[in-house]
Amino acid sequence: MALSACGGGAVASGADRVKDASGIRIEVSVRDGATDAGLNTGVRVTGGKLTDVRLIQADDGATVKGAIAADGSSWRPSDQLARGTKYKLVANAKDDKGRSATEQAMFTTVSAKNSFTGSYTPDNGKTVGVGMPVSFNFDKVITNKKDVQSHITVTSSSGQKVVGHWFGAQRLDFRPEDYWKAGSKVTMKINLDGVKGGNGITGVQSKTVTFTIGRSQVSTVDMNTQTMTVKRDGKTIKSLPISGGSPDHPTYNGQMVISEKLVQTRMNGSTVGFDNPKDSYDIPDVPHAMRLSASGTFLHGNYWSSPSVFGRTGTSHGCVGLRDNKGGGGDTPAKWFFDQSLIGDVVVVKNSHEQTVKPDNGLNGWNLSWSDWQSGT
């Protein structure tokens, strides 16, 4: 709604298109009477300065906090508005001759049923490894993919081209052709407020997120030698003996990204399909666990196997094990690697008798070629 209100305290109604001597023009980012307004309603003024803006919840009279810009040209609420809520807005402005104008709007924000949001990783202010993609998971099916994607931009201070790729109708990931440059800053701008996602749903998010790429750490697990070589900024810093998947349960090949770090966790085979008594396991205190796939592949500490298996034999159900102590104490290979790792670091597995991990099984889109990645836009 962009209306010019009459000077001298007059109010322009929602149907008016009036210009007066003051020339004050107050613009509200939602039309009067809207029933699907976004959650970031703002006010702008030209030809004058805002003097007061009041936004009130119609049902209980609660005032929404907000701030007028230092130059008086705009106002925004301090936080996003609530979904499915009716509001009344009154904005007042004056020009340099003391003439005033007022604008009003009554509107209802979009309901939860008719809106969509996306949970995303990484979050603002985080420092992550060079393999960390930006990954959105939407709470509704998105059919207007092109428009939704166009309202999310990801850029890097390194100048790398960043492209989005859809995995189905509810997940959208972004990455460059090669791993992020160490030390670069990545900025994600989410401008989904008011964007139509399809099937009667409207976006409600508006936010800028910035995160930092840390040092480059890429570790390679060789199943032939049962070793893991850890490279930091291109230089080998350590070689560790591991015990990967057994011949019956080999570890996935491919580039996998650490998506979660847990000092200790429970691992129960029945939760990942190992229900046969022969294959079943339930370990309540697995130390130094780092998730590599959504389906349950971890790189973790192993205190229950004989030290002799590390560097020699694959014994796991598909995970990569490092020697550790019960409780995770002491100076062990597992603790060292856990302490040296970031969310977003890359672990590459090669020479396994298993298939390559699927690109949407965890944050593992690096297993798609660049041409295939770009074709998913």
Side-chain angles (χ1 to χ4, degrees):
M1 180 171 61
L3 303 177
S4 297
C6 298
V11 178
S13 72
D16 289 337
R17 291 290 186 273
V18 181
K19 289 188 177 181
D20 66 280
S22 74
I24 299 173
R25 184 177 180 86
I26 300 174
E27 301 176 0
V28 181
S29 61
V30 61
R31 63 178 175 81
D32 188 29
T35 58
D36 59 351
L39 307 188
N40 298 277
T41 294
V43 179
R44 296 192 65 83
V45 63
T46 54
K49 291 185 177 182
L50 291 167
T51 57
D52 177 63
V53 178
R54 298 187 304 278
L55 183 61
I56 301 168
Q57 286 193 24
D59 57 349
D60 60 9
T63 299
V64 177
K65 292 182 180 180
I68 296 174
D71 63 0
S73 67
S74 63
W75 175 92
R76 296 202 65 82
S78 300
D79 297 302
Q80 283 192 334
L81 306 184
R83 286 195 271 186
T85 303
K86 191 172 185 179
Y87 291 92
K88 180 180 180 180
L89 184 144
V90 180
N92 297 291
K94 284 187 177 181
D95 65 10
D96 56 5
K97 295 182 179 179
R99 292 172 295 190
S100 63
T102 299
E103 188 57 87
Q104 297 183 2
M106 186 79 76
F107 61 90
T108 302
T109 52
V110 64
S111 67
K113 178 182 178 181
N114 295 320
S115 61
F116 70 91
T117 62
S119 58
Y120 56 84
T121 189
D123 207 349
N124 190 54
K126 297 293 186 180
T127 297
V128 296
V130 296
M132 188 69 186
V134 171
S135 185
F136 272 83
N137 286 275
F138 296 103
D139 63 353
K140 304 281 197 318
V141 170
I142 303 300
T143 56
N144 191 11
K145 292 181 179 180
K146 185 176 181 180
D147 199 23
V148 167
Q149 183 174 332
S150 71
H151 285 82
I152 303 172
T153 59
V154 182
T155 57
S156 173
S157 63
S158 67
Q160 291 172 280
K161 178 183 178 181
V162 184
V163 175
H165 182 94
W166 287 89
F167 293 110
Q170 290 183 249
R171 177 176 168 182
L172 172 62
D173 285 12
F174 293 84
R175 70 165 176 90
E177 181 175 3
D178 300 310
Y179 300 144
W180 302 101
K181 300 296 184 184
S184 57
K185 302 285 186 181
V186 180
T187 300
M188 171 175 56
K189 292 185 178 180
I190 309 167
N191 294 302
L192 293 172
D193 196 24
V195 175
K196 302 301 181 183
N199 298 327
I201 55 173
T202 302
V204 292
Q205 288 171 291
S206 181
K207 191 174 184 180
T208 298
V209 175
T210 302
F211 59 93
T212 302
I213 306 302
R215 78 290 174 274
S216 171
Q217 181 167 299
V218 179
S219 304
T220 301
V221 175
D222 188 336
M223 288 299 170
N224 282 343
T225 62
Q226 295 289 303
T227 58
M228 179 170 68
T229 302
V230 183
K231 287 191 174 183
R232 178 78 57 82
D233 296 321
K235 296 180 180 180
T236 299
I237 60 172
K238 205 156 208 176
S239 182
L240 300 169
I242 62 97
S243 181
S246 69
D248 291 335
H249 306 293
T251 306
Y252 285 124
N253 282 299
Q255 303 169 76
M256 290 179 270
V257 173
I258 297 174
S259 60
E260 184 179 20
K261 290 180 65 182
L262 303 166
V263 174
Q264 181 174 292
T265 190
R266 177 184 179 185
M267 291 188 178
N268 188 327
S270 64
T271 64
V272 288
F274 291 111
D275 296 319
N276 188 312
K278 177 185 174 182
D279 295 325
S280 65
Y281 60 89
D282 188 359
I283 306 170
D285 55 354
V286 177
H288 300 125
M290 289 158 280
R291 181 181 289 278
L292 300 179
S293 78
S295 62
T297 308
F298 279 81
L299 196 159
H300 61 75
N302 178 337
Y303 66 79
W304 51 90
S305 293
S306 167
S308 64
V309 305
F310 298 99
R312 295 181 176 85
T313 308
T315 59
S316 80
H317 289 72
C319 292
V320 177
L322 291 166
R323 183 176 59 80
D324 211 341
N325 294 325
K326 186 177 176 64
D331 183 14
T332 65
K335 184 179 188 305
W336 179 87
F337 188 73
F338 187 89
D339 291 343
Q340 295 296 317
S341 297
L342 293 173
I343 299 292
D345 281 350
V346 181
V347 177
V348 181
V349 177
K350 66 179 185 179
N351 295 323
S352 176
H353 297 296
E354 183 56 285
Q355 64 182 340
T356 298
V357 66
K358 299 295 185 184
D360 60 345
N361 186 359
L363 302 177
N364 299 325
W366 301 103
N367 295 288
L368 277 180
S369 68
W370 185 234
S371 59
D372 286 343
W373 183 268
Q374 293 181 100
S375 70
T377 58

